[in-house]
Amino acid sequence: MPSALSADEPTDRLDVRLADGPEEIAAAQALRYRVFYEEMGAHPTDATRDRRRDIDDFDAVCDHLLVIDRARGSGAAGVVGTYRLMPRAAGEAFGRFYTAGEYDISPILAHGCRFMELGRSCVDAGYRNGATMKKLWDGIAAYVFEHDIELMFGCASLPGTDPGSLAGHLGYLYHYHLAPEHLRPRALPHLYVDMELAAKDSLNPRRALAELPPLIKGYLRLGGFVGDGAVIDHQFNTTDICVLVKTDLITDKYRSHYGRNVRDATSEV
């Protein structure tokens, strides 16, 4: 087995593209199982444990973005990162969105914009560095441009199920990044956990941002917002928040980068 990718290695051995067929989707599901269940302590059903793959109903109607290390293989064997993408039309045809199981997303649905739902993001333990994340974001940006997406949203996770231990994270997100009211999802009443667990004047915003998980930090740096209320996901051993990113709020840095690279990335995606 080729070695993992170190932070200072060239990234030309990494590709980003959509899954091509069931074998590559199965590889993404197997990666999700290793990360969510074996590393993060999610609680599998008997069927999930037997298959050793994380599978749900949405897999069949979503696009699966993959990062592939060609040193490990050009297809399923090379999958080291994944993201699940569902454009609005696909979700409406399917009849539901994953996020709606935790949040009232009616403000988003009523907005009439072209959106996509993001989810099930994970990266192999040996590839959690800037090179792999850059490839994932390149792929997402290409998908956004290709499908003219105006808004991205989905559930993102903080580790653990004790809101008190996450008071700084949740308080910072609530006080500094709450979504505009006309777009703001709200956790479903029976799942709602108050995020205002720390007073605003008790927080150091710079430190609080730096201490967030990299994925959530990345959303915020793209101009992202969060919905009102957290949700405890006991199955996955996480505390979830709803994140929204309006693509017209992407920073100039990212917009310039994507503008230079989107044509190449789109040809792969």
Side-chain angles (χ1 to χ4, degrees):
M1 176 76 65
S3 63
L5 188 72
S6 65
D8 57 354
E9 283 189 81
T11 63
D12 56 2
R13 65 189 248 193
L14 298 180
D15 292 331
V16 60
R17 60 173 174 79
L18 296 182
D20 181 16
E23 185 178 356
E24 291 186 354
I25 294 174
Q29 294 166 335
L31 173 61
R32 284 159 30 186
Y33 182 88
R34 294 196 301 273
V35 173
F36 299 149
Y37 292 91
E38 294 182 349
E39 292 187 44
M40 297 175 58
H43 305 292
T45 64
D46 290 342
T48 298
R49 186 183 296 108
D50 291 342
R51 289 184 303 229
R52 301 186 66 78
R53 288 191 285 149
D54 171 54
I55 301 174
D56 68 16
D57 294 342
F58 292 93
D59 283 326
V61 295
C62 289
D63 288 323
H64 298 262
L65 186 69
L66 307 177
V67 174
I68 294 175
D69 181 357
R70 293 194 309 278
R72 296 175 60 159
S74 60
V79 173
V80 297
T82 187
Y83 233 120
R84 194 166 71 181
L85 315 176
M86 185 163 69
R88 178 172 194 158
E92 290 180 339
F94 185 57
R96 56 194 172 102
F97 293 88
Y98 180 91
T99 307
E102 297 186 355
Y103 286 85
D104 174 7
I105 61 170
S106 56
I108 297 174
L109 300 178
H111 193 261
C113 63
R114 293 179 296 277
F115 63 69
M116 72 172 175
E117 184 178 47
L118 302 169
R120 284 300 200 271
S121 171
C122 65
V123 174
D124 182 273
Y127 292 79
R128 290 174 194 158
N129 53 45
T132 310
M133 290 308 301
K134 175 182 179 298
K135 285 293 184 180
L136 279 173
W137 282 113
D138 283 350
I140 290 170
Y143 197 93
V144 164
F145 278 83
E146 179 74 12
H147 295 272
D148 199 19
I149 301 296
E150 298 172 282
L151 177 72
M152 308 183 295
F153 74 94
C155 292
S157 299
L158 296 163
T161 57
D162 175 17
S165 68
L166 300 170
H169 290 329
L170 296 173
Y172 168 73
L173 292 168
Y174 178 86
H175 289 299
Y176 288 93
H177 297 283
L178 199 61
E181 189 170 0
H182 72 284
L183 276 177
R184 188 184 305 162
R186 181 178 172 87
L188 299 176
H190 65 290
L191 300 174
Y192 184 95
V193 174
D194 188 4
M195 297 174 66
E196 196 177 3
L197 299 177
K200 187 173 184 178
D201 60 9
S202 72
L203 300 169
N204 180 322
R206 181 176 296 181
R207 181 184 303 163
L209 176 62
E211 292 175 349
L212 285 169
L215 184 62
I216 296 176
K217 195 182 330 184
Y219 288 136
L220 299 181
R221 286 175 171 166
L222 290 172
F225 304 106
V226 300
D228 180 16
V231 173
I232 306 301
D233 188 334
H234 292 284
Q235 180 189 0
F236 281 89
N237 194 32
T238 59
T239 298
D240 295 346
I241 58 171
C242 186
V243 178
L244 306 84
V245 179
K246 295 177 68 176
T247 59
D248 65 352
L249 294 182
I250 293 175
T251 63
D252 290 342
K253 172 185 174 183
Y254 280 95
R255 187 179 296 278
S256 174
H257 170 73
Y258 291 154
R260 291 195 305 270
N261 292 285
V262 68
R263 182 166 297 141
D264 291 341
T266 303
S267 67
E268 294 181 0
V269 170

